[in-house]
């Protein structure tokens, strides 16, 4: 197995060396094949994901797994010719008439370690950007979604040569060996604990990494918004994939005087959006379900008020104690703490007291409060009056900061993430730059501001 992994990497390394700068036509063709693979096998993808989850909404699969990939490919193919063009760089007057450019250059071989929660889209979205930037890629999908991983393993060779894209299956040991390969860039999406291990393994080869982690993404609800609208957006974000989304709202902060009204609005939104508990997405496996059940039981045992509309719908936990598991860990599931604070300044202090989240959701139309949040908080993304939707904007960078990750991709930001932005200097035929050579002339040094 190790020999196959190393051999596959060497095959891709040779391919990247033989074609160090794929043309626009080659890149667009690779992206087109990636789109065909996704589009022509939609039913296979839906069946595989549903098999892995036991129950998952086919609408959510089409929206978050299939459509997300197709839209990313369409956007990249449309804008790729602009991204590939060398950009102008300004020249100091002392060096004129020389010129300078910034030329994007493919890195080479990109490694992608994808998670189980969106096993198709989060496996292929980094590859969209890697292909756009002119690279080849190796993919290690999650072993927790075995059916989707097996589908990728079966379909990829039908559309790509091993030199372009290959899929490596396996468990923890394979993931460890994969992260130790000397990639030109390594992308990992998953938990912070595993992300640290991946970063340490990659550091031995000085491999640059993009870590898409997660954390506790808060939703702050101010008193100036329609609470029903805010509740609907929060439950949409929490209900998608049963809360198993890295940018799902992890907890809600609201002024205490509006706490009761918001809880009622959230409860109503759950009933409206998730009327049939048996038809919505389940936890990925029994172990994860037990973890979420333990969070609820612990909160109930400590006297917290729980509003639970079913085994798989979002469950509200009102004003939980800070020492509870649901407040100490990223939930990654259906539990949703709702916490009262004295005012918005207290809400901001609460958020800033913890690690930087992957997303910060703020429900307010107050321009002053929006500017305050923009200037005084840190998060991978700051989203006003919505949840999750920023992920569907291909022109926005997607990534974390601090505990929630490092690096960002999507669209042009992904193209540049998987490129070396190479500085290129063109000296003119006739240039006075020789006057800068020693012996140094005092009058010249004064003229150029060095005297």
């Amino acid at each position: 197995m190790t020999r196959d992994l190393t051999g596959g990497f060497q095959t891709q390394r040779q391919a990247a060396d033989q074609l160090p700068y794929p043309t626009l036509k080659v890149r667009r063709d690779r992206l087109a094949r990636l789109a065909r693979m996704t589009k022509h096998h939609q039913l296979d993808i839906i069946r595989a994901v549903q098999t892995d989850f036991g129950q998952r909404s086919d609408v959510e699969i089409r929206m978050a797994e299939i459509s997300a990939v197709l839209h990313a490919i369409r956007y990249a193919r449309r804008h790729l010719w602009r991204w590939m063009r060398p950009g102008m760089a300004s020249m100091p007057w002392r060096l004129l008439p020389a010129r300078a450019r910034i030329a994007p250059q493919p890195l080479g071989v990109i490694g992608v370690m994808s998670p189980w929660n969106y096993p198709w889209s989060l496996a292929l979205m980094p590859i969209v950007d890697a292909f756009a930037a002119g690279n080849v890629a190796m993919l290690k999908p999650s072993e927790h979604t075995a059916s989707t991983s097996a589908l990728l393993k079966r379909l990829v060779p039908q559309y790509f040569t091993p030199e372009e894209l290959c899929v490596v299956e396996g468990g923890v040991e394979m993931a460890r060996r994969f992260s130790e390969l000397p990639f030109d860039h390594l992308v990992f999406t998953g938990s912070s604990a595993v992300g640290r291990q991946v970063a340490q393994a990659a550091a031995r080869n000085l491999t640059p990494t993009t870590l898409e982690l997660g954390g506790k993404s808060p939703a702050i609800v101010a008193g100036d918004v329609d609470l029903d609208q805010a509740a609907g957006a929060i439950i949409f974000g929490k209900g998608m994939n049963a809360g198993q989304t890295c940018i799902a709202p992890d907890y809600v902060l609201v002024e205490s005087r509006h706490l009761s009204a918001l809880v009622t609005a959230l409860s109503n939104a759950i009933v409206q959006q998730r009327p049939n508990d048996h038809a919505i997405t389940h936890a990925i496996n029994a172990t994860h379900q037990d973890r979420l059940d333990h969070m609820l039981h612990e909160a109930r045992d400590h006297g917290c008020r729980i509003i639970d509309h079913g085994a798989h719908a979002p469950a509200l936990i009102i004003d939980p104690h800070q020492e509870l598991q649901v407040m100490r860990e990223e939930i990654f599931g259906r539990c949703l703490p709702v916490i009262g604070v004295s005012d918005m300044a207290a809400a901001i202090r609460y958020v800033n007291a913890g690690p930087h989240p992957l997303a910060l959701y703020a429900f307010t139309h107050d321009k002053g409060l929006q500017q305050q949040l923009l200037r005084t908080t840190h998060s991978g993304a700051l989203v006003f009056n919505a949840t999750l939707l920023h992920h569907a904007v291909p022109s926005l960078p997607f990534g974390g900061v601090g505990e929630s990750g490092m690096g960002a991709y999507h669209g042009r930001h992904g193209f540049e993430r998987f490129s070396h932005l190479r500085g290129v200097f063109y000296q003119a035929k006739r240039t006075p730059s020789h006057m800068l050579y020693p012996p140094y002339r005092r009058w010249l040094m004064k003229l150029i501001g060095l005297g």
Side-chain angles (χ1 to χ4, degrees):
M1 188 69 72
T2 303
R3 185 179 303 163
D4 293 342
L5 180 63
T6 305
F9 175 80
Q10 291 300 330
T11 296
Q12 291 211 325
R13 169 63 68 209
Q14 292 171 7
D17 290 343
Q18 291 171 3
L19 189 63
Y21 195 88
T23 64
L24 174 63
K25 182 179 179 180
V26 168
R27 302 183 197 199
R28 287 173 60 92
D29 174 65
R30 289 174 178 172
L31 290 170
R33 281 182 276 150
L34 202 63
R36 285 199 299 272
M37 184 178 76
T38 299
K39 191 172 183 179
H40 292 174
H41 297 278
Q42 293 186 53
L43 295 180
D44 294 325
I45 296 168
I46 292 171
R47 282 193 292 266
V49 174
Q50 288 180 334
T51 299
D52 286 326
F53 278 79
Q55 169 60 43
R56 187 169 173 192
S57 164
D58 63 338
V59 176
E60 288 186 2
I61 296 173
R62 291 181 185 276
M63 180 166 52
E65 301 278 14
I66 297 170
S67 180
V69 172
L70 295 177
H71 285 164
I73 293 171
R74 190 176 303 118
Y75 183 84
R77 294 186 81 237
R78 184 185 307 128
H79 295 279
L80 185 52
W81 68 274
R82 292 188 184 90
W83 301 344
M84 290 177 63
R85 287 190 309 184
M88 293 287 294
S90 60
M91 181 65 64
W93 68 266
R94 300 175 182 88
L95 300 180
L96 291 173
R99 297 177 296 114
R101 297 285 188 272
I102 300 173
Q105 182 180 36
L107 291 175
V109 184
I110 307 299
V112 177
M113 303 176 70
S114 62
W116 55 261
N117 57 326
Y118 291 93
W120 188 267
S121 62
L122 290 184
L124 296 189
M125 293 283 274
I127 293 173
V128 171
D129 294 341
F131 277 175
N135 303 285
V136 297
M138 293 184 70
L139 168 65
K140 164 62 179 73
S142 173
E143 67 274 17
H144 297 298
T145 44
S147 294
T148 309
S149 297
L151 181 63
L152 283 163
K153 181 73 171 178
R154 177 170 65 86
L155 292 181
V156 164
Q158 299 177 25
Y159 290 84
F160 298 95
T161 67
E163 291 82 2
E164 294 173 310
L165 175 63
C166 67
V167 178
V168 177
E169 290 185 290
V172 174
E173 180 60 22
M174 178 58 74
R176 184 184 68 81
R177 294 184 180 278
F178 189 90
S179 63
E180 292 174 346
L181 291 173
F183 291 110
D184 297 295
H185 198 102
L186 179 61
V187 184
F188 169 81
T189 305
S191 70
S192 298
V194 179
R196 286 186 174 89
Q197 298 174 17
V198 170
Q200 289 173 357
R204 297 188 187 102
N205 294 310
L206 295 181
T207 298
T209 58
T210 295
L211 302 179
E212 298 296 345
L213 306 177
K216 300 182 75 64
S217 295
I220 297 176
V221 181
D224 67 300
V225 296
D226 184 310
L227 294 181
D228 290 329
Q229 291 182 1
I234 292 169
I235 295 305
F236 166 73
K238 191 64 172 180
M240 174 70 72
N241 201 24
Q244 298 166 125
T245 305
C246 58
I247 52 173
D250 196 273
Y251 62 94
V252 181
L253 299 174
V254 61
E255 290 178 312
S256 296
R257 60 196 175 101
H258 299 299
L259 177 61
S260 179
L262 179 62
V263 168
T264 299
L266 289 167
S267 183
N268 291 337
I270 294 170
V271 173
Q272 292 170 4
Q273 294 184 26
R274 308 287 167 175
N276 184 357
D277 189 67
H278 298 290
I280 60 179
T281 303
H282 292 184
I284 182 64
N285 53 40
T287 300
H288 193 53
Q289 183 66 52
D290 290 343
R291 173 179 170 273
L292 298 171
D293 291 343
H294 177 266
M295 287 183 174
L296 284 173
H297 294 154
E298 183 187 39
R300 186 177 285 111
D301 291 344
H302 280 75
C304 296
R305 179 186 169 203
I306 308 292
I307 300 176
D308 193 353
H309 291 277
H312 305 291
L316 307 179
I317 305 174
I318 314 305
D319 273 332
H321 307 296
Q322 292 303 304
E323 66 271 15
L324 296 180
Q325 182 182 4
V326 76
M327 295 307 300
R328 289 185 287 106
E329 299 178 4
E330 180 182 6
I331 296 170
F332 219 69
R334 69 190 192 97
C335 305
L336 182 61
V338 186
I339 303 162
V341 294
S342 58
D343 52 29
M344 288 296 98
I348 292 173
R349 288 195 298 271
Y350 190 105
V351 172
N352 286 340
H356 302 325
L358 186 55
L360 170 56
Y361 302 111
F363 292 86
T364 179
H365 299 289
D366 184 325
K367 300 299 183 184
L369 179 56
Q370 289 180 354
Q371 284 298 310
Q372 185 180 6
L373 287 162
L374 187 62
R375 293 171 179 170
T376 63
T377 63
H378 290 84
S379 60
L382 175 57
V383 181
F384 292 108
N385 304 309
T387 62
L388 307 190
L389 300 183
H390 64 290
H391 189 270
V393 182
S395 57
L396 284 178
F398 181 80
V401 58
E403 287 284 320
S404 59
M406 66 172 71
Y409 66 102
H410 285 195
R412 177 156 198 156
H413 305 280
F415 174 88
E416 294 184 351
R417 172 65 50 182
F418 303 129
S419 300
H420 170 54
L421 301 183
R422 193 179 196 182
V424 183
F425 183 93
Y426 298 91
Q427 182 61 281
K429 287 184 177 181
R430 294 189 176 125
T431 173
S433 62
H434 65 276
M435 298 178 68
L436 298 176
Y437 303 164
Y440 302 113
R441 302 162 181 83
R442 184 176 299 276
W443 66 268
L444 181 59
M445 295 300 103
K446 288 184 178 181
L447 178 65
I448 62 178
L450 297 178

